[in-house]
């Protein structure tokens, strides 16, 4: 067996396949390119997916790599087994429609037995159950005895529909002394005796949705061999951790902790975790990952904080991770020289995150221990979700860390409660973000030398002069923090003169701020308000600036249009029009002005027309800086109540508008595209407001209007241009129908009256007509009542009618009945009360309403009672 270092092994592998006409490609970044489904590269073939699926043509049909990989699915097992890692390197050779099984198997065998000189009789082969082709090659060509070729159901590689195929693994028997000693110990056993060192995947089928396997015209080879595993075999080490690829870090951590590796199983786990995680964080940061609470940034944070905690378990109480970067850089010097170049940067990122976690780690662990004790005493095993959230939110414990610590005491936490607390906090943060935008408490900045600060629309980079967090000046701030930042130079335009502030981002090598708005202090100092989305921000840091240019263009279009609108209003309505306020953002413009009469539709149309003529005239804007006096002489419009400095800026649209203004504008009026007024209204005595849209906003507005018209036409079953005619026709039809309904109702009422009279009742010699009729409202009901009474000549009438969700009643009595003691007002009062209402009236005529139409007949029964009691 060859004695090789990890670096020698990697090189030998790549050179071997280069000798077989493979193109050696450097490892891809851990951050996947154009693959949003993947957080981090976790296998050698991952970067080649587009070659396998045929989406892209590979630079060569045969490629070989040693690929950086990160996997965190099994992170709790790291340090507890011989082989689990978060970071590892995967050696691989790939064929894209070129060679297949025969060559892949022969070369793997050749490399292992001739180049690494692994003993042939210790190598075991697994193949897929019915892959006779692979069996024949291994047995007949390579001469592996049949009893060392094992058919296994799980040797088939597939992920949903798409390319898939059987695979063949090569295992090495490390000897009985490494095994579990069980009689059935064999390849596939969980113990350390049989180690899988290489997996050859034969991609030969295309699986469809229905589960049919069609042979691929172009078959592929994808293999993966763990560099650390093979190194452990060649270096005769019990686990990957003792190889030269990891052990130097274990050695360092043991020294710092003052412990000896191999003496305590518990300490060894922590040392291994630190070695593995130390390599992971170095490579991840080197590839551009920054700590955050989301995505791959969270993976990094979790790994880093887990390493800090295992340091503490070893008794290391001060930051110790940055020195690991030096060791890792040495280990990787040959394969990834960029790590050496980025050493200082990687250390800085780790230092910030480690120090930050250290300040809360001790308190967090004390708190958690206290709760563990309380739970144990109470005989419980589930920690409150809100407590786990507090550890996450206040003490920076990734929840997985809390879970892991609890599991050491065979406890868990309430995940649902945790998620609920998290959701609530997100909601609070959102609200707070809005608040902080409304009023950022700026502290006394009199110590700040503002002379050195400047604005430059072209600026792309700057230095951080000051960071404010919660109204206090801080040296550094971290992801999740809401901050206000002052830069030595800025291209961001601050809110002012009715125009909203710029948005965009400020990024350093250490972190990134999403700028939500930009504001100005009274002395002109510009500050940027936003939140840190990832990593950290430090005072004095160099940063890259990026303004949301497309949004700024929308704002500029609306702002210039506001100037044009004001000039047009003065021309159309008169010189008395004055700006009373304006608000310009990326979606629309709003202009308030003084005017003492409504603006007519014709005037509005004229204003709109005039502005659009200037837009289409494509006038170049002139912006000049001058003194106030000169500007006044030029006749530039100034805002009432607005303070201007001695030097002012005049925005001129030649022949149309001249205005003092510090805002952002288009270069030429044609850029505005289109100006469309969407509303005009009075907003107070002598004050009007116009809202308008421009450019894309105007297009969007017209599109919506157009859709509305189409929808209306659809509903009217006609073409858009015939909507009005159709509505006229429909209105005419409605009038006709209403007339018809009127005639029919009268007829119906007459019939009803006849029926009612026929059913008249005599109580103590008085004729009584009572019942439910159809009447749309009180007026109709009264008319029916009148008709009945007139036909009756002598008697009492009580009628009820349902009208919508109400009920109406009338009661009437002829004069002779009133003389006999009948009182319509009293009848109606009692009757309506039954139906949830009230009312009253004269003895001969009364009306009332009720809210319970379902009580109508009950109410009429009551009326009968009252009448009986009234007749003497
Ligand atoms: Zn075993
Ligand atoms: Zn302006």
């Amino acid at each position: 067996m060859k004695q090789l270092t990890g670096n020698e092994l990697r090189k030998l592998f790549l050179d071997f396949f280069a000798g077989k006409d493979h193109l050696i490609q450097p490892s891809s970044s851990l951050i996947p390119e154009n693959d949003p489904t993947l957080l981090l590269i976790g296998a050698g073939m991952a970067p080649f997916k587009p070659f396998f699926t045929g989406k892209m043509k590979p630079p060569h049909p045969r490629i070989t790599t040693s690929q950086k990989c990160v996997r965190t699915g099994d992170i709790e097992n790291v340090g507890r087994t011989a082989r689990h890692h978060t970071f590892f390197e995967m050696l691989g050779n790939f064929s894209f429609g070129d060679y297949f099984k025969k060559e892949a198997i022969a070369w793997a065998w050749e490399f292992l037995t001739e180049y690494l000189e692994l003993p042939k009789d210790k190598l075991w082969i697994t193949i897929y159950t019915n892959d006779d082709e692979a069996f024949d090659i291994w047995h007949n060509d390579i001469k592996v005895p049949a009893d060392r070729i094992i058919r296994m159901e799980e040797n088939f590689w597939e992920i949903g529909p798409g390319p898939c195929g059987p695979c063949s693994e090569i295992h090495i028997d490390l000897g009985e002394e490494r095994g579990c000693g069980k009689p059935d110990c064999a390849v596939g056993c969980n113990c350390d005796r049989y180690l899988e060192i290489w997996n050859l995947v034969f991609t030969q089928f295309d699986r469809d949705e229905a589960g049919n396997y069609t042979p691929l015209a172009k078959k592929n080879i994808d293999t993966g061999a763990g560099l650390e595993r093979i190194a452990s075999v060649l270096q005769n080490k019990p686990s990957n951790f003792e190889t030269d690829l990891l052990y130097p870090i274990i050695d360092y951590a043991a020294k710092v902790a003052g412990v000896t590796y191999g003496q305590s199983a518990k300490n060894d786990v922590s040392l291994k975790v630190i070695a593995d995680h130390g390599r992971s964080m170095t490579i991840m940061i080197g590839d551009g990952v920054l700590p955050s609470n989301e995505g791959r940034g969270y993976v990094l944070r979790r790994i880093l904080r887990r390493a800090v905690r295992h340091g503490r378990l070893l008794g290391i109480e001060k930051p110790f991770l940055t020195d690991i970067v030096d060791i890792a850089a040495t280990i990787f010097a040959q394969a990834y020289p960029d790590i050496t170049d980025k050493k200082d940067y990687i250390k800085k990122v780790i230092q910030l995150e480690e120090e930050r976690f250290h300040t809360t780690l001790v308190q967090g662990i004390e708190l958690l221990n206290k709760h563990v004790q309380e739970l144990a005493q109470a005989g419980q095993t589930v920690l409150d979700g809100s407590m786990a959230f507090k550890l996450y939110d206040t003490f920076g414990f990734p929840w997985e860390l809390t879970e892991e610590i609890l599991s050491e005491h065979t406890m868990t936490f309430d995940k649902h409660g945790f998620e609920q607390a998290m959701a609530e906090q997100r909601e609070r943060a959102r609200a707070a973000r809005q608040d902080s935008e409304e009023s950022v408490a700026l502290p006394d900045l009199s110590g700040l030398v503002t002379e050195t600060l400047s604005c430059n629309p072209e600026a792309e980079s700057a230095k951080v002069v000051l960071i404010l967090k919660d109204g206090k000046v801080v040296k550094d701030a971290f992801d999740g923090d809401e901050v206000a930042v002052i830069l030595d130079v800025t291209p961001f335009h601050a809110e002012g003169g009715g125009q909203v502030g710029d948005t965009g981002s400020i990024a350093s090598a250490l972190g990134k701020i999403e700028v939500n708005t930009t504001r100005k202090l009274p002395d002109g100092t510009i500050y940027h308000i936003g939140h840190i989305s990832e990593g950290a921000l430090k005072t004095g840091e160099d940063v890259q600036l990026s303004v949301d240019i497309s949004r700024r263009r929308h704002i500029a279009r609306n702002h210039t249009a506001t100037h044009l609108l004001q000039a047009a209003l003065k021309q159309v309505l008169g010189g008395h029009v004055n700006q009373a306020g304006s608000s310009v953002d990326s979606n629309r413009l709003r202009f308030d002005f003084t005017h003492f009469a409504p603006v007519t539709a014709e005037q509005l149309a004229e204003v709109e027309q005039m502005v659009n003529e200037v837009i289409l005239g494509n006038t170049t804007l002139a912006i000049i800086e001058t003194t106030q006096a000169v500007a006044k002489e030029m006749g530039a419009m100034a805002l009432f109540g607005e303070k201007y400095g001695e030097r002012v800026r005049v925005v001129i649209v030649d022949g149309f508008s001249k205005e003092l203004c510090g805002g952002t504008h288009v270069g030429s009026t044609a850029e505005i595209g289109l100006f469309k007024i969407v509303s005009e209204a009075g907003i107070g005595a002598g004050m009007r407001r116009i809202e308008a849209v421009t450019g894309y906003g105007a297009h969007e507005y017209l599109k919506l209007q157009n859709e509305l018209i189409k929808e209306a036409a659809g509903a009217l079953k006609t073409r858009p241009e015939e909507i009005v005619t159709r509505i006229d026709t429909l209105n005419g039809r409605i009038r006709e129908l209403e007339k018809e309904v009127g005639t029919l109702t009268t007829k119906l009422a007459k019939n009803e009256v006849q029926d009612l009279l026929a059913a008249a009742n005599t109580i103590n010699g008085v004729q009584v007509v009572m019942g439910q009729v159809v009447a749309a409202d009180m007026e109709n009901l009264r008319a029916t009542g009148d008709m009945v009474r007139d036909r009756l000549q002598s008697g009492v009438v009580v009628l009820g009618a349902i009208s919508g969700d109400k009920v109406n009643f009338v009661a009437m009595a002829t004069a002779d009945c009133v003389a006999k003691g009948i009182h319509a007002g009293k009848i109606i009062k009692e009757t309506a009360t039954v139906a949830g209402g009230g009312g009253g009236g004269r003895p001969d005529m009364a009306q009332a309403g009720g809210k319970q139409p379902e009580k109508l007949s009950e109410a009429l029964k009551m009326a009968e009672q009252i009448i009986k009691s009234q007749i003497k």
Side-chain angles (χ1 to χ4, degrees):
M1 203 154 51
K2 270 267 176 64
Q3 286 286 310
L4 295 178
T5 65
N7 283 323
E8 287 165 347
L9 169 60
R10 191 192 298 109
K11 187 170 184 316
L12 191 66
F13 180 91
L14 297 174
D15 287 347
F16 172 80
F17 280 102
K20 310 282 185 200
D21 189 29
H22 284 64
L23 176 70
I24 302 179
Q25 288 238 300
S27 169
S28 297
S29 165
L30 281 173
I31 301 177
E33 244 180 275
N34 308 322
D35 191 350
T37 63
L38 206 58
L39 217 48
L40 292 154
I41 296 289
M45 68 78 69
F48 300 134
K49 257 204 289 196
F51 301 157
F52 282 117
T53 54
K55 272 196 192 125
M56 272 171 71
K57 205 175 131 52
H60 194 72
R62 302 176 180 188
I63 287 178
T64 183
T65 58
S66 175
Q67 173 64 45
K68 300 179 269 192
C69 298
V70 166
R71 290 184 191 174
T72 53
D74 271 348
I75 195 169
E76 319 73 45
N77 280 330
V78 173
R80 299 184 195 281
T81 72
R83 316 287 170 202
H84 275 99
H85 295 294
T86 56
F87 173 82
F88 60 96
E89 288 175 84
M90 199 184 270
L91 302 168
N93 54 297
F94 306 92
S95 157
F96 309 106
D98 192 60
Y99 64 83
F100 200 50
K101 254 177 234 188
K102 204 173 166 65
E103 295 85 347
I105 289 174
W107 291 338
W109 188 257
E110 182 185 350
F111 180 72
L112 292 178
T113 59
E114 287 172 36
Y115 282 69
L116 301 186
E117 297 169 8
L118 297 185
K120 287 180 186 176
D121 59 342
K122 296 284 181 208
L123 295 180
W124 287 69
I125 308 300
T126 63
I127 58 169
Y128 181 57
T129 322
N130 64 9
D131 192 357
D132 295 333
E133 188 188 0
F135 181 88
D136 289 344
I137 298 169
W138 280 117
H139 185 57
N140 300 333
D141 299 358
I142 310 289
K143 310 283 183 230
V144 175
D147 61 353
R148 273 199 282 126
I149 304 173
I150 302 163
R151 293 176 188 260
M152 290 179 120
E153 192 66 46
E154 63 262 36
N155 276 26
F156 196 91
W157 183 90
E158 67 181 329
I159 308 171
C164 59
C167 60
S168 177
E169 293 169 347
I170 304 168
H171 297 249
I172 185 163
D173 179 0
L174 295 173
E176 231 172 300
E177 66 280 10
R178 297 278 285 278
C180 56
K182 289 178 188 151
D184 59 347
C185 184
V187 170
C189 180
N190 273 336
C191 72
D192 284 342
R193 177 169 174 182
Y194 295 94
L195 176 64
E196 181 214 324
I197 51 175
W198 207 334
N199 186 12
L200 317 176
V201 180
F202 313 123
T203 316
Q204 63 190 88
F205 298 113
D206 185 32
R207 196 194 133 180
D208 66 15
E209 295 283 351
N212 301 311
Y213 295 86
T214 319
L216 281 170
K218 288 189 137 195
K219 298 177 170 60
N220 301 314
I221 289 291
D222 151 26
T223 85
L227 174 72
E228 295 82 358
R229 287 182 173 212
I230 302 184
S232 77
V233 174
L234 298 179
Q235 295 171 17
N236 195 24
K237 301 293 185 193
S239 83
N240 299 0
F241 291 94
E242 287 87 3
T243 67
D244 64 332
L245 294 168
L246 282 130
Y247 192 73
I249 305 176
I250 289 186
D251 195 38
Y252 158 79
K255 278 200 187 99
V256 177
V259 300
T260 308
Y261 181 68
Q263 287 197 338
S264 138
K266 192 169 161 284
N267 285 350
D268 287 357
V269 167
S270 291
L271 289 169
K272 287 173 182 171
V273 167
I274 291 165
D276 172 88
H277 291 11
R279 293 195 336 153
S280 282
M281 66 182 84
T282 301
I283 297 281
M284 284 175 83
I285 298 167
D287 274 353
V289 182
L290 285 169
S292 81
N293 270 343
E294 266 159 54
R296 53 182 79 97
Y298 186 65
V299 175
L300 171 61
R301 167 162 292 163
R302 207 177 135 197
I303 285 173
L304 203 152
R305 295 192 168 186
R306 201 167 179 268
V308 172
R309 189 204 160 224
H310 278 276
R312 280 202 70 84
L313 287 178
L314 288 169
I316 304 174
E317 293 191 354
K318 59 179 198 310
F320 71 105
L321 292 178
T322 52
D323 287 341
I324 292 176
V325 178
D326 290 313
I327 303 166
T330 309
I331 293 172
F332 293 127
Q334 192 184 321
Y336 314 113
D338 62 306
I339 294 298
T340 304
D341 302 337
K342 294 174 189 158
K343 233 161 62 172
D344 291 341
Y345 163 66
I346 297 170
K347 283 184 182 180
K348 211 165 162 189
V349 173
I350 292 180
Q351 185 196 347
L352 279 169
E353 180 75 7
E354 187 181 12
E355 279 173 357
R356 191 183 172 205
F357 187 42
H358 250 286
T359 57
T360 56
L361 177 69
V362 182
Q363 293 160 279
I365 285 186
E366 270 171 17
L367 183 70
L368 183 52
N369 283 340
K370 207 182 101 210
H371 284 284
V372 166
Q373 274 174 17
E374 281 170 10
L375 285 175
Q377 275 161 15
Q380 290 169 344
T381 58
V382 182
L383 181 73
D384 207 41
S386 63
M387 189 44 63
F389 180 73
K390 189 179 178 189
L391 284 164
Y392 167 87
D393 191 42
T394 312
F395 300 101
F397 279 41
W399 64 262
E400 296 92 340
L401 183 62
T402 303
E403 186 178 54
E404 195 176 328
I405 296 172
L406 287 171
S407 80
E408 287 159 13
H409 303 274
T410 53
M411 290 179 180
T412 55
F413 72 90
D414 168 26
K415 260 194 197 140
H416 179 75
F418 175 85
E419 273 156 20
Q420 208 172 328
M422 177 89 114
E424 281 163 16
Q425 203 251 14
R426 284 214 176 106
E427 197 39 58
R428 278 196 302 274
R430 211 179 349 256
R433 198 167 297 161
Q434 274 156 3
D435 284 353
S436 79
E437 275 176 40
E438 287 317 310
S439 63
V440 169
L442 280 166
D444 180 15
L445 297 177
S446 47
L448 190 68
V449 187
T450 51
E451 282 81 69
T452 57
L453 307 180
S454 64
C455 299
N456 174 6
E458 310 289 318
E460 288 176 350
S461 59
K463 237 184 207 357
V464 177
V465 173
L466 195 104
I467 306 168
L468 294 163
K469 194 187 137 187
D470 300 329
K472 287 190 196 74
V473 178
V474 292
K475 278 255 156 300
D476 39 38
F478 298 88
D479 66 288
D481 287 348
E482 304 292 327
V483 290
V485 177
I486 297 175
L487 306 170
D488 62 347
V489 57
T490 183
F492 284 78
H493 192 89
E495 187 181 301
Q499 183 183 322
V500 295
D502 272 343
T503 61
S505 69
I506 299 175
S508 78
L510 297 178
K512 189 173 178 188
I513 310 174
E514 302 296 339
V515 177
N516 299 326
T517 189
T518 308
R519 297 239 168 93
K520 212 183 326 187
L521 293 175
D523 70 352
T525 304
I526 288 175
Y527 60 99
H528 313 79
I529 299 173
H531 75 279
I532 303 183
S533 56
E534 59 174 18
L537 185 75
K538 274 174 96 76
T539 312
E541 193 98 30
D542 290 319
V543 286
Q544 298 299 311
L545 312 170
S546 140
V547 176
D548 183 341
I549 290 295
S550 121
R551 177 175 175 275
R552 182 194 267 179
R553 288 208 183 105
H554 294 316
I555 296 170
R557 276 191 283 267
N558 284 334
H559 196 154
T560 306
T562 309
H563 286 208
L564 301 182
L565 172 63
Q566 182 173 10
L569 283 168
K570 273 182 188 288
Q571 285 193 36
V572 175
L573 302 179
H576 63 278
V577 166
N578 264 316
Q579 174 168 349
S582 82
S583 151
V584 174
D585 63 28
S586 56
N587 298 317
R588 63 164 205 4
L589 63 94
R590 201 181 72 204
F591 187 74
D592 298 344
F593 59 100
T594 49
H595 183 59
F596 295 90
V599 184
T600 65
E602 292 74 24
Q603 287 169 327
L604 268 191
E606 199 183 340
V607 166
E608 197 176 89
Q609 170 80 9
M610 198 176 274
V611 171
N612 279 307
E613 268 165 25
V614 179
I615 290 170
L616 295 175
N618 193 17
T619 311
T620 305
L621 269 76
I623 295 178
I624 58 167
E625 291 206 14
T626 179
T627 62
Q628 254 203 72
V630 172
K632 215 171 171 186
E633 217 164 282
M634 288 167 58
M637 284 190 276
L639 273 187
F640 178 75
E642 185 94 343
K643 276 197 213 115
Y644 297 95
E646 188 39 41
R647 298 290 295 176
V648 292
R649 197 163 167 266
V650 186
V651 178
I652 303 162
V653 179
D654 195 28
F656 198 71
S657 151
K658 250 181 231 160
E659 230 181 284
L660 290 192
C661 177
T664 34
H665 288 273
V666 297
S668 167
T669 57
E671 288 172 41
I672 298 169
L674 179 67
F675 172 80
K676 182 86 194 101
I677 293 174
V678 297
S679 74
E680 191 278 337
I683 52 164
M687 197 86 86
R688 314 288 306 175
R689 167 172 292 177
I690 285 179
E691 289 195 318
V693 287
T694 67
Y696 293 106
H699 177 236
E700 193 58 31
Y701 175 78
L702 294 177
K703 216 167 79 186
L704 284 175
Q705 297 287 309
N706 195 34
E707 273 162 22
L708 205 65
I709 290 171
K710 269 195 201 152
E711 246 174 68
L716 290 168
K717 297 195 170 55
T718 187
R719 287 175 303 166
E721 58 271 29
E722 276 163 14
I723 285 180
V724 176
T725 323
R726 179 96 180 114
I727 289 175
D728 283 345
T729 312
L730 287 173
N731 279 341
R733 182 81 187 119
I734 287 170
R735 277 192 297 275
E736 268 171 36
L737 290 173
E738 275 170 349
K739 236 184 188 169
E740 229 170 280
V741 168
T743 318
L744 288 172
T745 312
T746 314
K747 263 190 197 161
L748 198 66
K750 274 182 189 154
N751 286 339
E752 270 187 332
V753 168
Q754 303 237 308
D755 292 347
L756 283 170
L757 288 170
N761 202 350
T762 306
I763 300 172
N764 292 352
V766 173
Q767 283 195 94
V768 177
V769 173
M770 210 178 303
Q772 181 177 350
V773 295
V774 177
D777 52 23
M778 188 62 88
E779 202 179 321
N780 280 314
L781 182 63
R782 239 172 20 228
T784 310
D786 284 341
M787 234 187 287
V788 177
R789 186 196 50 206
D790 293 350
R791 298 276 293 273
L792 209 54
Q793 289 179 350
S794 165
V796 182
V797 184
V798 181
L799 302 177
I802 291 170
S803 166
D805 54 356
K806 293 197 193 76
V807 56
N808 292 325
F809 296 101
V810 288
M812 292 171 177
T814 52
D816 56 323
C817 292
V818 173
K820 284 184 188 163
I822 294 292
H823 192 295
K826 285 177 184 161
I827 296 169
I828 211 76
K829 186 165 183 266
E830 300 282 333
T831 308
T833 306
V834 175
R842 306 190 313 252
D844 63 332
M845 154 71 199
Q847 62 186 49
K851 286 181 201 132
Q852 291 164 285
E854 70 278 8
K855 296 265 175 75
L856 197 152
S857 52
E858 202 181 309
L860 291 176
K861 269 182 204 132
M862 170 60 80
E864 199 175 341
Q865 297 292 320
I866 307 292
I867 293 168
K868 273 182 189 155
S869 72
Q870 285 182 350
I871 302 168
K872 288 161 199 152

